[in-house]
Amino acid sequence: MGPGRLLRSRGALLLLEAAVAFAGALALPLLALGFELDPLDRIAQVSGLAAIQFRFALLGLLFIAAVVLAMRLRGGRHFDLATRVSAAALAGLASGFVAAGAVLALHGTPWPMFGLNGDSGRIVEWAHAVANGQPSGSPVYPPAPLYTLGYYAEWFHGGNTAYAFKDLQILGAAAFGPLVYFAWRMLLSPLRALAFGVVPAFALIDAYKPYAQTVLVVLVPVLVAMVVALRRSGTENWRPLLLKAAGFGALLGVLFLTYSGWFLWSAAGVFFAAALYFPWKTGRLKGAAFMGATLAAFMAVAGRYLVVMLTEGQDTKDFNFRFDNFTDPAYYLMWRTDMPGNVGDWPLPGEFGGVGLFAIVTFVCLGVAIWLGLRKPLVVTIAAMFISAWLMRMYIASNMYETQTVQLYTRTNNQLLYCGMILAALVAHLVSQRLAQRRPAGTGAAADTGADTGADTATTGRGFPGREGAVIGTLCALLLLLGTVSSSMADRYMPAQDGSYRILPYVSHTIRQQNGKCPKFAPEHKCSKDGDQTWLTYIR
């Protein structure tokens, strides 16, 4: 197979996208290793964020310039290839920005965010136990992060799970963008996967425990893709049908082992969508085989842990009331952490009956998405997952007084926000499809409707913009948007003693290292075994 033909194969193109996305995700953290800044000095933090932003923008503009050149050279023959590579690169660079921020925040200390305190300390302790063949402190805690951390520590840190966790916090944040991008590539073309899948996910990116949010943003498109495959299963050949089903089951099993909570909130909605799109008329036997193979593969990967969750998990109660358990349960658009300090009026009062403009726009777009995409499994499945999480949230909260438990119902914030933002973003996708369908014949190529297609021409008709201009403009807009969002998400982890998430890396700079010395930038060169403990005063 020649180079030209190889580049036209779908598998080779996806491998190219993967290589570019993950390389982009690692570029900024590696460059940040060379920064010589005091991470506890606010001026240094601002300078560091600006330095990361400069490198992010420069690299992003180089990829956009490649798209412009591809449009001009050889009649635009390689325009689609350049667009594909640039979309993957921006997804990687964006999460690499947040990871580079974590590198800056933890510069000079070997400890992970929060050291051995809170969730960080428990994860480090449990991972050390499982790596040494002992049971973890919680049988219901997802095992994949613990085993990953334990074995990574054995390979690269001599078994020191605490120091290893710092690496995985940075690497986990970096991998966020490429992973969510490729999950959405199962459903959408490169640019649309970036705009309508990756961008909404960046409201949730987390460098402290990156695996939990990563599972959510990957799970949503995977479940949608599974429903789409189920809908088509009635006309599939047996071999690809069973292989595809087994692949979905194995992937869902890995996600379940990594973080299982999102499965609980999503279950009812996914069952509804599966029943709605099951091929009742065209191939019930193949549909049942698809579901059976998916379930069998899932059980093979995660069955043992599922049994533990269904047995011992029933006895696990969460009695820890946080400040957001005392606020309006219908508010989910922002979480102010469980260490709020003086939080004041929360939720912040909005302009319309206490509801803010962002909420109104989101709800309107959600309704428009359902209106335009009522017959599309992409829209219906996400809407069903939103409704499922909403009902589970209200059910658990309504029983909170009787049971005196919260059962982590506020964690549905993230799923509600992500699904709502996806539906809002998909309005642009659905509107562009309608415009493409209504374009008169002979007036130019239709806009990209989501599938992988060949190059379109640049001609326009009756006021429609050229496709190339639309792609380049969208890439420029997404570069600025992702750069701004990533900077904000990185900034919230700049160490400070202010009662927000910034206390997590601050504590890491106040813990005595295992060699007995203080971290390089410890305040006043003072440190202790457990580090700064003023964070305890922030918890109600």
Side-chain angles (χ1 to χ4, degrees), residues 344-358:
D345 191 7
W346 191 263
L348 298 175
E351 299 83 5
F352 178 73
V355 178
L357 181 61
F358 174 74

Side-chain angles (χ1 to χ4, degrees), residues 18 72 191 202 217 299 392 447 476 529:
R72 307 271 306 177
L191 192 59
F202 268 73
V217 297
M299 294 301 294
M392 287 291 294
C476 290
K529 178 179 179 294

Side-chain angles (χ1 to χ4, degrees), residues 33 39 70 80 97 101 105 111 121 162 182 249-250 267 315 338 345 389 391 439 447 459 473 507 521:
L33 290 174
D80 280 356
F97 192 134
W111 298 103
F182 281 102
D315 299 324
D338 51 5
D345 191 7
L391 292 176
R439 179 179 295 188
T459 57
V507 169
F521 299 103

Side-chain angles (χ1 to χ4, degrees), residues 207-293:
Y208 177 43
K209 293 189 297 181
Y211 55 88
Q213 309 306 336
T214 301
V215 169
L216 169 61
V217 297
V218 170
L219 179 65
V220 172
V222 168
L223 289 174
V224 174
M226 184 186 70
V227 172
V228 172
L230 174 63
R231 185 190 192 189
R232 298 170 178 170
S233 62
T235 57
E236 286 267 11
N237 293 324
W238 279 104
R239 181 180 174 82
L241 170 73
L242 295 177
L243 288 175
K244 188 180 296 184
F248 277 116
L251 179 55
L252 290 172
V254 171
L255 294 175
F256 187 76
L257 290 174
T258 305
Y259 196 83
S260 57
W262 315 120
F263 286 78
L264 174 62
W265 316 129
S266 306
V270 174
F271 285 140
F272 168 80
L276 183 64
Y277 291 106
F278 186 87
W280 298 104
K281 297 180 179 180
T282 58
R284 285 177 290 181
L285 179 60
K286 288 186 175 180
F290 179 91
M291 296 182 68

Side-chain angles (χ1 to χ4, degrees), residues 193-207:
L194 178 67
F196 308 137
V198 174
V199 170
F202 268 73
L204 306 176
I205 189 170
D206 180 15

